[in-house]
Amino acid sequence: MFSEEIKKYSWNEVHDAIYAKTRHDAEATLSKIKYTTDDWMTLLSPAAEAYLEELAARSRNMTIQRFGKTIQLFAPIYLSNECQNICTYCGFSFGNKIPRKTLTEVEIKTEFEFLRKEHFEHVLLVTGEDAVHANPVYINHSIALARNYFSDVAIEVQPLGEAEYSMFKDSGCDAVLVYQETYNPENYKIYHLKGKKLNYNYRLDTPDRIGKAGINKIGLGVLLGLSDWRTDAFFLALHLNYLRKTYWKTRYSISFPRLRPAEGLTKVEHPVSDKEFVQLMCALRIIDNEVEMSLSTREPEYMRNHLINMGVTSMSAGSKTNPGGYATSSETLKQFEISDSRTPEQILELIEEQGYEPVWKNWDKALTAH
Ligand code: SF4
């Protein structure tokens, strides 16, 4: 389990090692074609910022070699904003006195029909962490319903046990996303104040349980803004590397959402600049050239325009972050404010303008179908 593996590393020692790297270290790392964990620290260091153009070129080439010039499109569907946890950065947090909503089967189908008409083949079903409304039976039923409409169904729901993940797999779930938010155990305690999410290790070992259940793809991520991003990215890479070796048949994706304004969120403790965001993305691509990288509508238009050719492999488009947001109800509470509100058609045009091919299906399935 990764909770055992991570004990070999100390957050503070990794942090200090990253910040001690020099331009000489950066040049030495960039002259290599294989990288050690020490090189990972260099790629993520402030010293490597001076080589951003080279990092971006390398990231772009590695991505094209592995994935071609394709960008897969997906849409999140929020099924429920019920949540029993208190996370200080999230609009769905239990303490926020907001209207709660869990979609009925009829409402779910209405959302699905809307997105099918927009040509989406790949959806991400999202719920808060709630044992009553968005429980495993509800999630499983939603997956089964979604398979009647879409070729790829991913979920981002509460961490569960191996038995539940096996059940989801049998119902047609292709991918499970579970973000650690931050790998810093001390900061984790500051942001997570109530509910099951308090258990750092249970969340940390969730990808292991997903891997054991044989789910096709696991999505990892950190929420940028909670801790020092360079150190968090190192631990994210470590987690990915461990999972690749342990569950080698599984595919992996990563995502690195930046904190966005949300109900109850007043200040971002560790902001990440645009330049730093680019370094993060390119460094992670260089560390792992096989990982899929997803970019959500949390990022503003100008960033999404520029990041398409730097390592991204999938993008959401026209997203709504409230239950029923597409076709049922526009009044329910959003998890966070999106930043890029362009329509799927506009995103499609943008991708094509940049010489990339938009792919509606899961890109792996699209390629093997040829
Ligand atoms: S981040 Fe997830 S667990 Fe935390 S309050 Fe939001 S929906 Fe609930």
Side-chain angles (χ1 to χ4, degrees), residues 168-185:
F168 295 164
K169 182 179 185 219
D170 291 344
S171 296
C173 177
D174 295 293
V176 181
L177 279 52
V178 59
Y179 303 156
Q180 187 60 27
E181 318 295 16
T182 176
Y183 287 88
N184 181 319

Side-chain angles (χ1 to χ4, degrees), residues 50-65:
Y51 302 87
L52 200 53
E53 276 190 25
E54 190 169 344
L55 292 179
R58 204 173 282 207
S59 173
R60 180 180 307 122
N61 292 339
M62 289 171 106
T63 310
I64 292 172
Q65 266 178 20

Side-chain angles (χ1 to χ4, degrees), residues 345-357:
E345 291 75 33
Q346 289 172 310
I347 297 298
L348 206 75
E349 275 173 29
L350 168 74
I351 293 170
E352 285 173 344
E353 270 167 26
Q354 302 223 6
Y356 281 70
E357 182 191 351

